[in-house]
Amino acid sequence: MDIREHSLALISVVIGLGLTSLLGGFSRLMRRRSELHWDALPLAWAFIALLLVNNYWWGLYLGEVAATAPSNVDTFLLGLIFPVLLYLICAAALPDVHALHVRGGDLLAMYFAESRYFFALIILYVFATGLGTAAHAGAFQWNEHMWLRLVIVSLCFPLMWTRKLLLHWLAAVVMLAIMVYVLFEMALH
């Protein structure tokens, strides 16, 4: 087993734990569905988290993720930032069922209560992937993917401080469109 296979194994475990957290949270919500006041917005962002994981996974498959071929332990540790952030995003995407009782089972109220943390993680992940891409290329380059990262950060940053539903939905729809575009583009390679 070489270093690439060791790296992929650990990354796969971390990503798998993130998916387990996301899907487990959804399952717990579904079990208590009659006790909750449902809203589609948190579910849309949970789906976006799932697409972020899928995007990263495709990047691993295509060999576009530098963490799969680290040259030293420092590079490997830096490469672990991406799957760890994805795990945290997946874990924060849906509210904890037990915490929902405090908010009267209102999924939207809990979404807003936890949105600052969730969007901070997304912004951090997008910045980290941009820096990782620049480091892997050897220099920062304004290309289509960097512009898309800028759009994502520009959309998510104000969501940390506002509760305007229209803005949250606009950001979710644009983010979904960007993720579908990027995944479709990756599938063509």
Side-chain angles (χ1 to χ4, degrees):
M1 197 174 214
D2 66 358
I3 190 69
R4 177 173 162 55
E5 292 166 339
H6 279 287
S7 299
L8 286 174
L10 182 58
I11 289 169
S12 296
V13 167
V14 175
I15 295 293
L17 288 172
L19 286 176
T20 299
S21 180
L22 181 66
L23 298 174
F26 181 72
S27 176
R28 285 186 290 281
L29 289 175
M30 288 304 295
R31 286 187 188 155
R32 298 209 172 168
R33 63 187 169 274
S34 62
E35 303 169 24
L36 302 176
H37 299 147
W38 285 91
D39 192 274
L41 186 58
L43 299 175
W45 281 104
F47 184 67
I48 290 167
L50 183 66
L51 291 178
L52 283 171
V53 170
N54 193 33
N55 181 41
Y56 185 77
W57 208 272
W58 269 107
L60 283 173
Y61 173 73
L62 295 175
E64 296 176 2
V65 177
T68 60
S71 57
N72 57 40
V73 72
D74 298 339
T75 307
F76 178 70
L77 287 174
L78 286 173
L80 274 180
I81 290 173
F82 309 121
V84 167
L85 285 172
L86 279 175
Y87 167 80
L88 293 172
I89 289 168
C90 287
L94 291 171
D96 181 24
V97 172
H98 304 297
L100 278 168
H101 291 302
V102 175
R103 304 247 179 222
D106 189 349
L107 203 58
L108 188 61
M110 198 64 187
Y111 164 81
F112 283 126
E114 297 178 354
S115 64
R116 187 170 290 172
Y117 173 65
F118 178 70
F119 291 114
L121 288 170
I122 289 180
I123 291 167
L124 189 58
Y125 177 74
V126 171
F127 270 124
T129 59
L131 290 173
T133 300
H136 188 62
F140 182 82
Q141 301 170 354
W142 277 109
N143 59 24
E144 178 184 19
H145 289 275
M146 288 299 185
W147 283 107
L148 291 174
R149 285 181 178 96
L150 183 62
V151 168
I152 291 169
V153 168
S154 300
L155 285 170
C156 290
F157 189 74
L159 299 182
M160 293 171 44
W161 287 279
T162 185
R163 291 180 174 237
K164 293 182 181 178
L165 269 176
L166 182 61
L167 193 57
H168 280 261
W169 270 111
L170 176 67
V173 168
V174 171
M175 184 78 167
L176 276 169
I178 289 171
M179 294 306 304
V180 168
Y181 170 75
V182 169
L183 289 168
F184 181 73
E185 182 185 51
M186 288 175 85
L188 294 177
H189 288 139

